[in-house]
Amino acid sequence: MSQEINNNSPQGEVNLGDLLAVRRQKLADLQAEGKDPFVITKFDTTHHSADIKENYAELEGKEVVIAGRLMSKRVMGKASFCNVQDLKGTIQCYVARDDVGVEEYQGFKKFDIGDIVGIKGTVFTTKTGEISIHATEITLLTKSLQILPEKYHGLTNTDMRYRQRYVDLIMNADVKDTFIKRSKIISAIRRFLDAQGFLEVETPMLVSNAGGAAARPFETHFNALNEDLKLRISLELYLKRLIVGGLEKVYEIGRVFRNEGLDTRHNPEFTLMELYQAYTDYHGMMDLTENMYRHVANEVLGTTKIVYNGIEMDLGKPFERITMVDAVKKYSGVDFNEINTLEEARAIAKEKGVQFETRHKKGDILNLFFEEFVEEHLVQPTFVMDHPVEISPLTKRKPDNPDYVERFEFFMNGWEMANAYSELNDPIDQRERFKAQEEQLAQGDAEANTTDEDFLNALEIGMPPTGGIGYGIDRMCMLLTDSQAIRDVLLFPTMKPLD
């Protein structure tokens, strides 16, 4: 069995050092004997552990070959049992001296927990009913020189789990399952969109103008051209250029970078998906979102009912659709249809204790009310529509109410999951919106957009009426895997330096 080490005591530190030295000596002995495991270049397998268990009726008595990590070992004289863990789970192996040979058995007895082994043998069931492999050959493929966490408690230190994800994946089966599901979620999204006629594309990450969202970018310098560049904060402006070019349905799944803080829902680099479709509007994006979420949940989880943190959310029912003004009225009692001036908006904000800045206009204050009073209530799938123009610089105005735009945000569990527009394709209006953003930047808003002349030139070439949307893939994965923090669905999240 694996040895338990108390790393919190001075004696534990001595023991750990001794054990590490023993492992290195074992490797040196193997190398001296011409049995260096690190010279092995390949090992052909026939099955994974779960395949053997699921197909036992067909495989009983037949030869199989597996490979994986040694997770436990019980040596009992001339015969031993061990458990080997591979991609799909663990399986017990019976290793007897008379079957593998004396020399090989002596070598097996020196194997350590964490070593990677290859085993050939026949499938059988033990007297206790456990499906196992009766080994005829056993090969040491990799010598582990470190100590895995103690078996029964696993790797429980949250900070260490994120820093050493490779150990986390070994010790915690549910963590591996989360990342397998994440991969399946993204694959299901691709299959859904591809079937709808969308084309997956790739656009630049290093850009001279990081636009398309309200966020502070990371900045860098390109030595070859002596040019300052930024890491993209969204995918929007390049994808819209492709709509101008005649690619009517495009999407990209990729990393974006925002120079912001760390918390349970934010990481400075994260996965965003944006898609754009010509000749539709934000209502078309709502329909697509409903259908896509249902498709992905059904394909990955086998149900449209998901449970997050004990709360059930039903993707099978029609998603609620409500305007931002109506949502604020519903949860705060304030009707912004009755507020006509900036002074009135500031007065009601002071009355309700909503903090605002002098640069904020009426639409900004409406949004502050929404964040303060509404978001936490939007647990079931909900589209919040028709945002104020002040906070939507890339969105088409509502023809019958130009103070508002054809935009929605999709909410679940009180979180924003997606943001969509009927895209602004009027280059003259777009230039005025950029100008307003530049003014906000000058007043101290570090997240405001700057004017993108090439994008304006593309709009002047002519962009058809278009619907567009951006999805937070990491938050979607959190909900569908019941993960409590964004770091739980990022294989290697950003961490503060240990020093």
Side-chain angles (χ1 to χ4, degrees):
M1 300 293 287
S2 61
Q3 291 180 268
E4 184 173 355
I5 302 163
N6 179 4
N7 291 318
N8 296 318
S9 69
Q11 184 61 40
E13 292 173 7
V14 173
N15 290 342
L16 179 59
D18 291 345
L19 289 167
L20 293 175
V22 168
R23 291 196 176 207
R24 280 159 175 74
Q25 185 58 52
K26 287 182 180 180
L27 174 61
D29 292 343
L30 287 167
Q31 291 169 332
E33 296 168 9
K35 299 177 180 178
D36 185 352
F38 295 120
V39 303
I40 297 174
T41 57
K42 64 176 294 189
F43 186 82
D44 294 325
T45 62
T46 62
H47 295 81
H48 282 100
S49 55
D51 302 329
I52 294 169
K53 293 177 180 179
E54 291 169 6
N55 299 285
Y56 176 73
E58 301 170 23
L59 294 173
E60 182 183 11
K62 294 182 179 178
E63 185 176 86
V64 296
V65 184
I66 67 160
R69 194 175 298 275
L70 193 65
M71 298 302 292
S72 68
K73 186 175 68 168
R74 300 194 310 276
V75 177
M76 301 176 295
K78 298 178 182 180
S80 303
F81 284 96
C82 65
N83 275 294
V84 175
Q85 176 176 293
D86 61 19
L87 173 67
K88 297 184 179 181
T90 61
I91 192 165
Q92 179 175 264
C93 299
Y94 174 71
V95 184
R97 184 191 66 181
D98 294 343
D99 297 313
V100 299
V102 175
E103 184 178 349
E104 287 74 12
Y105 188 66
Q106 290 301 317
F108 166 75
K109 288 168 69 174
K110 296 178 182 179
F111 290 180
D112 290 305
I113 304 307
D115 287 351
I116 297 175
V117 298
I119 293 180
K120 177 188 288 187
T122 54
V123 179
F124 79 109
T125 303
T126 64
K127 292 179 180 178
T128 59
E130 184 169 356
I131 296 171
S132 307
I133 299 173
H134 189 138
T136 55
E137 293 180 23
I138 186 163
T139 306
L140 179 63
L141 301 173
T142 301
K143 183 67 190 167
S144 175
L145 301 180
Q146 274 289 353
I147 311 293
L148 290 178
E150 194 271 318
K151 173 184 174 184
Y152 296 102
H153 298 96
L155 183 62
T156 55
N157 180 294
T158 302
D159 186 75
M160 192 58 67
R161 284 180 53 221
Y162 298 143
R163 293 183 190 279
Q164 297 185 13
R165 182 68 83 188
Y166 42 92
V167 181
D168 191 23
L169 290 166
I170 294 167
M171 301 308 300
N172 296 314
D174 57 332
V175 171
K176 184 187 291 184
D177 181 62
T178 291
F179 287 105
I180 290 172
K181 282 182 179 174
R182 179 189 171 105
S183 179
K184 290 180 177 178
I185 288 165
I186 294 173
S187 295
I189 290 170
R190 284 193 166 104
R191 282 192 293 272
F192 176 83
L193 292 176
D194 293 347
Q196 303 291 318
F198 280 85
L199 182 70
E200 183 174 10
V201 298
E202 294 176 307
T203 60
M205 291 189 183
L206 283 172
V207 296
S208 58
N209 189 333
R216 185 194 300 264
F218 286 95
E219 299 180 356
T220 188
H221 186 77
F222 183 26
N223 292 332
L225 296 180
N226 192 27
E227 180 184 8
D228 290 331
L229 295 174
K230 300 177 178 66
L231 289 173
R232 66 184 181 187
I233 60 173
S234 85
L235 313 173
E236 180 167 349
L237 300 185
Y238 279 100
L239 291 177
K240 285 182 178 178
R241 287 168 166 90
L242 298 181
I243 296 292
V244 170
L247 301 181
E248 295 181 359
K249 293 182 176 182
V250 294
Y251 75 97
E252 181 173 6
I253 300 174
R255 288 282 180 152
V256 296
F257 308 86
R258 298 182 181 180
N259 201 346
E260 300 169 348
L262 296 165
D263 61 31
T264 57
R265 284 186 282 160
H266 295 88
N267 194 71
E269 57 173 311
F270 61 96
T271 301
L272 184 66
M273 180 177 79
E274 293 195 30
L275 63 85
Y276 294 84
Q277 179 177 347
Y279 310 114
T280 190
D281 62 3
Y282 72 144
H283 292 290
M285 294 296 100
M286 288 185 221
D287 295 338
L288 184 146
T289 300
E290 280 200 47
N291 293 332
M292 187 185 78
Y293 260 77
R294 289 190 190 114
H295 170 84
V296 172
N298 261 323
E299 186 165 316
V300 177
L301 305 178
T303 178
T304 58
K305 292 183 178 179
I306 64 172
V307 177
Y308 183 83
N309 209 19
I311 299 171
E312 183 177 279
M313 287 164 268
D314 192 351
L315 296 167
K317 296 179 180 178
F319 295 5
E320 182 181 0
R321 304 186 183 198
I322 188 171
T323 67
M324 180 178 281
V325 169
D326 287 344
V328 167
K329 181 179 178 180
K330 179 178 179 180
Y331 291 104
S332 75
V334 176
D335 186 354
F336 270 75
N337 283 328
E338 303 297 322
I339 295 173
N340 298 311
T341 66
L342 175 58
E343 289 70 27
E344 290 174 356
R346 288 173 172 172
I348 195 67
K350 291 176 181 177
E351 179 184 325
K352 294 290 186 178
V354 174
Q355 300 294 317
F356 62 90
E357 299 177 26
T358 54
R359 62 183 175 84
H360 284 148
K361 298 178 181 178
K362 175 188 167 184
D364 297 298
I365 294 174
L366 168 61
N367 187 54
L368 292 172
F369 266 77
F370 175 76
E371 293 173 351
E372 179 73 24
F373 294 104
V374 182
E375 285 190 4
E376 63 183 300
H377 299 288
L378 304 179
V379 175
Q380 295 302 317
T382 304
F383 295 119
V384 176
M385 308 179 296
D386 301 350
H387 293 51
V389 68
E390 292 91 339
I391 63 167
S392 310
L394 299 165
T395 316
K396 186 170 288 191
R397 295 175 191 262
K398 291 181 68 65
D400 58 344
N401 192 352
D403 289 340
Y404 294 88
V405 297
E406 293 191 350
R407 173 185 174 187
F408 73 80
E409 290 175 296
F410 173 48
F411 281 84
M412 287 180 67
N413 193 51
W415 302 348
E416 179 197 337
M417 305 297 294
N419 185 23
Y421 312 149
S422 294
E423 300 296 337
L424 179 61
N425 62 342
D426 178 344
I428 298 171
D429 190 356
Q430 182 63 79
R431 182 174 290 280
E432 290 302 311
R433 307 270 194 101
F434 275 141
K435 183 178 178 181
Q437 287 283 298
E438 295 272 12
E439 291 172 359
Q440 290 188 31
L441 187 67
Q443 294 174 26
D445 184 356
E447 296 184 348
N449 284 198
T450 55
T451 302
D452 187 327
E453 290 293 346
D454 183 73
F455 176 65
L456 288 171
N457 183 66
L459 289 186
E460 289 180 357
I461 296 292
M463 186 175 83
T466 297
I469 188 167
Y471 298 92
I473 296 298
D474 305 304
R475 291 186 186 178
M476 184 179 189
C477 291
M478 287 174 66
L479 282 184
L480 294 180
T481 62
D482 197 13
S483 299
Q484 300 307 301
I486 192 171
R487 291 179 179 183
D488 295 327
V489 296
L490 297 175
L491 279 167
F492 300 102
T494 303
M495 302 292 292
K496 294 179 181 178
L498 285 171
D499 55 1

